[in-house]
């Protein structure tokens, strides 16, 4: 994961996507027959593959450097392993009611585009963890911590049939340090500075007004900088309560 874009409610992720199924038409041998245990196809040797698509995808691309990052491995019993490296930008509806103390649940859904559950049924692989996280993922997210990862199903029913779907939920907890040092502490300091006007001479009207207006305008700019990074939501956020208290 390289970026979480709150303004557009999306996140970028790079994955190695693997699918495995059995196609008896591709079986070419039996155990201990002296034939290789599997063969690898190149990009031009096409076979039937599931028409998987990512339901919440906004944009994506496959990697082609140095060679196309695609693997098609066929075992002698007809077992097929398909692996591909993909970079995705996925939508992630977010709730900012508790911002910047919020926890966001971002999804990664994939399903069959044309085949109903009568033809294709997706299942998570048994035994090992179906979703493996590369070490150091959290370090690539300066404002978030990947707290948890859950897997589930999301089979959908439409007027054209039922479509199998699998879901990965990424639970992202926002780190508070940035907002503490750049929003909360500076806001508290501005309030303390504004109190200086109470100790000025009552006849120094210009000085007292200038100090009050200067601190107020500074907070207006600070509030604008905070909200420019967020979408225009219709509800009150936790940081709005703090900024309102400062005003």
């Amino acid at each position: 994961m390289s970026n979480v874009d709150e303004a557009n409610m999306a996140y970028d992720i790079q994955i190695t996507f693997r699918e495995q199924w059995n196609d008896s038409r591709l079986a070419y041998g039996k155990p201990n027959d002296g034939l290789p245990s599997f063969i690898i196809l190149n990009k031009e040797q096409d076979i039937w593959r599931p028409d998987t698509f990512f339901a919440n995808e906004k944009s994506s691309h496959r990697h082609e450097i140095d060679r196309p990052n695609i693997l098609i491995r066929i075992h002698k019993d007809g077992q097929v392993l398909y692996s591909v490296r993909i970079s995705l930008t996925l939508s992630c509806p977010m709730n900012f009611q508790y911002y910047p103390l919020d926890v966001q649940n971002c999804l990664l859904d994939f399903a069959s585009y044309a085949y109903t559950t009568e033809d294709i049924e997706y299942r998570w692989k048994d035994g090992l963890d179906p979703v493996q996280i590369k070490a150091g993922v959290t370090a690539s997210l300066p404002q978030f911590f990947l707290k948890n990862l859950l897997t589930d199903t999301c089979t959908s029913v439409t007027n054209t049939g039922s479509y199998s779907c699998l879901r990965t939920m990424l639970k992202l907890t926002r780190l508070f340090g940035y907002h503490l040092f750049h929003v909360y502490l500076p806001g508290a300091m501005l309030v303390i500075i504004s109190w200086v006007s109470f100790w000025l001479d009552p006849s120094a009207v210009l000085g007292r007004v200038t100090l009050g207006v200067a601190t107020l305008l500074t907070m207006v700019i600070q509030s604008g900088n905070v909200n420019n990074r967020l979408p225009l939501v219709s509800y009150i956020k936790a940081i709005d309560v703090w900024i309102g208290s400062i005003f």
Side-chain angles (χ1 to χ4, degrees):
M1 300 185 69
S2 58
N3 180 44
V4 178
D5 187 354
E6 292 100 337
N8 295 313
M9 293 194 182
Y11 70 101
D12 297 334
I13 191 171
Q14 184 183 114
I15 64 172
T16 300
F17 182 65
R18 301 184 181 97
E19 294 178 305
Q20 193 170 357
W21 66 94
N22 190 279
D23 191 337
S24 59
R25 300 170 297 178
L26 300 175
Y28 61 88
K30 298 179 180 180
N32 303 319
D33 58 4
L35 296 175
S37 57
F38 64 85
I39 59 175
I40 296 177
L41 303 185
N42 58 41
K43 186 179 180 182
E44 287 73 25
Q45 294 174 296
D46 201 7
I47 60 172
W48 181 90
R49 298 199 302 266
D51 58 342
T52 306
F53 80 104
F54 295 89
N56 55 332
E57 170 199 348
K58 301 182 75 171
S59 63
S60 64
H61 71 272
R62 293 177 177 175
H63 293 263
E64 302 287 338
I65 305 297
D66 161 25
R67 296 282 301 276
N69 297 168
I70 297 176
L71 168 68
I72 304 176
R73 178 188 295 169
I74 302 176
H75 294 260
K76 62 173 61 178
D77 60 353
Q79 195 81 8
V80 182
L81 172 65
Y82 173 69
S83 177
V84 61
R85 184 163 159 254
I86 312 173
S87 288
L88 298 159
T89 298
L90 302 169
S91 64
C92 177
M94 301 180 184
N95 188 315
F96 297 100
Q97 185 174 359
Y98 298 103
Y99 179 90
L101 304 172
D102 54 327
V103 177
Q104 304 296 344
N105 296 317
C106 293
L107 304 179
L108 192 159
D109 294 347
F110 57 91
S112 173
Y113 183 77
Y115 294 100
T116 64
T117 51
E118 296 178 358
D119 301 311
I120 291 181
E121 181 181 353
Y122 291 95
R123 297 177 182 175
W124 291 112
K125 187 175 182 179
D126 295 329
L128 301 175
D129 292 334
V131 180
Q132 300 171 343
I133 304 175
K134 184 179 179 181
V137 167
T138 300
S140 64
L141 295 171
Q143 290 198 46
F144 287 92
F145 175 76
L146 183 56
K147 184 177 181 180
N148 199 3
L149 188 148
L150 304 173
T151 57
D152 199 359
T153 60
C154 52
T155 300
S156 61
V157 179
T158 69
N159 56 7
T160 58
S162 177
Y163 298 89
S164 182
C165 171
L166 292 182
R167 167 172 293 173
T168 301
M169 179 183 293
L170 306 169
K171 183 167 289 189
L172 301 173
T173 302
R174 191 181 302 275
L175 300 177
F176 186 64
Y178 174 85
H179 295 84
L180 175 64
F181 292 108
H182 292 84
V183 178
Y184 283 82
L185 290 181
M189 292 300 298
L190 282 174
V191 172
I192 295 174
I193 291 173
S194 68
W195 291 343
V196 174
S197 61
F198 293 121
W199 278 268
L200 295 179
D201 188 271
S203 61
V205 177
L206 181 61
R208 288 190 288 113
V209 171
T210 301
L211 184 60
V213 172
T215 53
L216 184 64
L217 291 178
T218 302
M219 201 58 225
V220 169
I221 296 174
Q222 181 78 318
S223 175
N225 292 335
V226 171
N227 287 294
N228 285 339
R229 297 193 295 267
L230 302 174
L232 302 178
V233 297
S234 58
Y235 48 82
I236 296 176
K237 303 182 292 294
I239 200 167
D240 294 334
V241 176
W242 171 258
I243 293 175
S245 302
I246 290 177
F247 276 120

